[in-house]
Amino acid sequence: MALSKIDAVNFLTGTIPSGNVANASLNAVTALPAAIETGSIVKLQTQTASTSSSITFSSTYITTTYKKYYLDYTNVVISSDGGNIAATVSANNGGAYTTSGYYYWRIFSNSADGNNSIASGGGTGNSSLLMVGTGVGLGTSTDESGSGRMTIFDPFSADSKLFISEGLCIGNDGTLVQQYIYQGLVTSTTINNIKISPNTGTIVSGEFTLYGVTT
Amino acid sequence: MTHTHKLIDGVRIDLTAEEIVEIEAREQAWEAGAFDRAMEDLRFKRNAKLAETDFHGMSDRTMSAEMTTYRQELRDLTNGVTTKEQANAVVFPTKP
């Protein structure tokens, strides 16, 4: 297709002729046209821990709207050296939490280890969903903290519930620890609430953000 | 550790007396299992180190005396460990 006209003046200055666009000024743009996708990851809520015993995302945010959720945790510090943070889920918005029967398989390595020194193992009877601080616990010394993400797959599915935690921390031994934990809960019961807590003590600080993922 | 509150959807909510009792009971159970967890972690790491040298035992190789000693030291690592402090203080042998 050949160009029918080139406006030489506007080409040089970069000015858009106002007649060619609905809003010639960026300040006048207040919304994207409906036809443009706004993205597939939607931030639902951020909570900031402050010596908190637990942090919960309720059925207000965990809904049938999304088939997948990301739970990000950043710069988490807990009060007990060597502890970890983990989550339990509820089918009735916190009325009761499942505290047994979590399947898991974890793999972790440590910056203090040599090449190819990767530890792994699993089980079927965990009391919670591991997040970060397993294998080597979270440290409490200055500059020691943990971060990561838990992917929650379709909590409203009629099939088993599946989770992946990927985290890293400067552990209580002062090394960098990388952790991947694949987890499952064999139940057809839906999930609409997740509670995060340390195994002992409190969550001194850290940000927890829940995202909904459009699939 | 003093427990005062929880966060639900970003709202700070004071813990009830019952909730504090429940948390403290969970913490006591956690403390009671400290030695078992320390031993589990120790075996976890030990087994990884054994696995990374398993190939020395293949039929087409001859394991050196140094490697044999190293692997035996790994297997013996948990002998005599009876406290959490001892488990956390274990020093792994150096791989030849």
Side-chain angles (χ1 to χ4, degrees):
Chain A
M1 184 178 75
L3 288 172
S4 59
K5 180 182 178 184
I6 296 177
D7 184 329
V9 174
N10 290 333
F11 180 82
L12 291 173
T13 63
T15 302
I16 302 172
S18 59
N20 292 351
V21 292
N23 291 295
S25 166
L26 282 177
N27 290 335
V29 178
T30 57
L32 292 172
I36 296 178
E37 290 285 342
T38 54
S40 59
I41 300 178
V42 179
K43 179 181 170 180
L44 300 175
Q45 195 196 36
T46 293
Q47 301 190 57
T48 303
S50 177
T51 319
S52 308
S53 295
S54 64
I55 292 174
T56 298
F57 291 92
S58 78
S59 62
T60 301
Y61 297 102
I62 301 177
T63 67
T64 55
T65 303
Y66 301 102
K67 287 284 186 74
K68 185 162 73 174
Y69 291 85
Y70 290 146
L71 172 55
D72 281 7
Y73 29 104
T74 308
N75 296 334
V76 176
V77 177
I78 62 175
S79 62
S80 181
D81 196 37
N84 63 44
I85 58 168
T88 51
V89 296
S90 170
N92 56 1
N93 199 25
Y97 287 92
T98 301
T99 57
S100 63
Y102 293 98
Y103 287 45
Y104 74 101
W105 187 84
R106 62 177 178 161
I107 179 169
F108 75 87
S109 60
N110 185 316
S111 62
D113 291 334
N115 292 338
N116 304 319
S117 184
I118 297 173
S120 64
T124 59
N126 241 14
S127 60
S128 56
L129 294 162
L130 301 167
M131 294 171 69
V132 68
T134 177
V136 176
L138 291 165
T140 54
S141 299
T142 303
D143 297 336
E144 292 182 347
S145 66
S147 297
R149 163 177 288 181
M150 176 186 283
T151 303
I152 304 167
F153 294 97
D154 198 1
F156 285 86
S157 166
D159 300 319
S160 299
K161 308 303 175 295
L162 300 173
F163 311 83
I164 297 175
S165 297
E166 47 189 314
L168 69 166
C169 66
I170 302 299
N172 65 326
D173 60 359
T175 65
L176 174 68
V177 187
Q178 308 86 35
Q179 301 152 332
Y180 285 87
I181 312 140
Y182 303 87
Q183 297 167 101
L185 192 59
V186 184
T187 176
S188 59
T189 306
T190 59
I191 292 168
N192 64 1
N193 182 299
I194 186 165
K195 180 172 75 173
I196 303 123
S197 54
N199 44 29
T200 181
T202 62
I203 306 174
V204 175
S205 58
E207 277 200 346
F208 296 78
T209 300
L210 186 69
Y211 297 90
V213 182
T214 301
T215 56
Chain B
M1 173 50 56
T2 303
H3 291 276
T4 59
H5 71 277
K6 57 186 177 183
L7 292 179
I8 298 180
D9 296 341
V11 178
R12 179 187 166 117
I13 298 171
D14 288 342
L15 295 170
T16 65
E18 290 77 16
E19 287 175 322
I20 292 173
V21 168
E22 183 183 329
I23 291 171
E24 288 176 346
R26 187 187 72 205
E27 291 185 337
Q28 286 172 5
W30 172 259
E31 274 306 310
F35 173 66
D36 289 342
R37 285 193 307 280
M39 290 301 287
E40 181 187 351
D41 286 344
L42 180 57
R43 292 191 184 98
F44 204 58
K45 295 171 185 171
R46 186 271 310 273
N47 292 347
K49 291 181 183 298
L50 280 170
E52 74 181 25
T53 56
D54 274 349
F55 71 95
H56 287 282
M58 295 174 73
S59 58
D60 61 344
R61 295 181 66 101
T62 302
M63 190 178 293
S64 68
E66 291 81 5
M67 183 56 68
T68 301
T69 300
Y70 169 71
R71 287 173 59 85
Q72 190 59 53
E73 287 174 350
L74 285 175
R75 291 191 193 92
D76 294 341
L77 213 57
T78 55
N79 291 351
V81 177
T82 56
T83 67
K84 176 186 74 173
E85 289 72 22
Q86 288 175 337
N88 290 333
V90 164
V91 177
F92 285 90
T94 302
K95 188 167 72 172

